[in-house]
Amino acid sequence: EIVSNFELNMVYRYCIVPGCRNTTISSPGKTFINLPGEQNQRKIWLKAMKRQPKDVSSKSHLYLCEDHFNVSI
């Protein structure tokens, strides 16, 4: 099977919002937004998602898909 350069260079990301199943594989056209690295902002975002900050590494790179934002082009 031939794999395109796009597929080889694509970074796998998944949305960490509970119940959301979007990934860069299942939804390649979606934008994935990085969870802030700054700890106070990160806690606010995690709280908004009903996720416990203690359950998520402070150093991990996590993403939310565009479905959870008002994205306009």
Side-chain angles (χ1 to χ4, degrees), residues 7-62:
E7 291 172 321
L8 288 174
N9 294 323
M10 188 170 71
V11 176
Y12 180 76
R13 294 181 177 153
Y14 62 92
C15 183
I16 65 164
V17 173
C20 186
R21 296 178 176 255
N22 289 328
T23 71
T24 51
I25 303 296
S26 66
S27 305
K30 289 199 184 287
T31 299
F32 287 81
I33 296 103
N34 196 26
L35 186 69
E38 196 279 316
Q39 292 307 305
N40 289 328
Q41 287 183 339
R42 192 175 183 100
K43 285 179 185 177
I44 292 168
W45 283 41
L46 290 168
K47 185 177 179 180
M49 290 182 280
K50 299 184 178 19
R51 301 280 308 250
Q52 296 295 323
K54 65 181 174 73
D55 296 337
V56 178
S57 170
S58 62
K59 298 183 192 289
S60 58
H61 296 280
L62 302 171

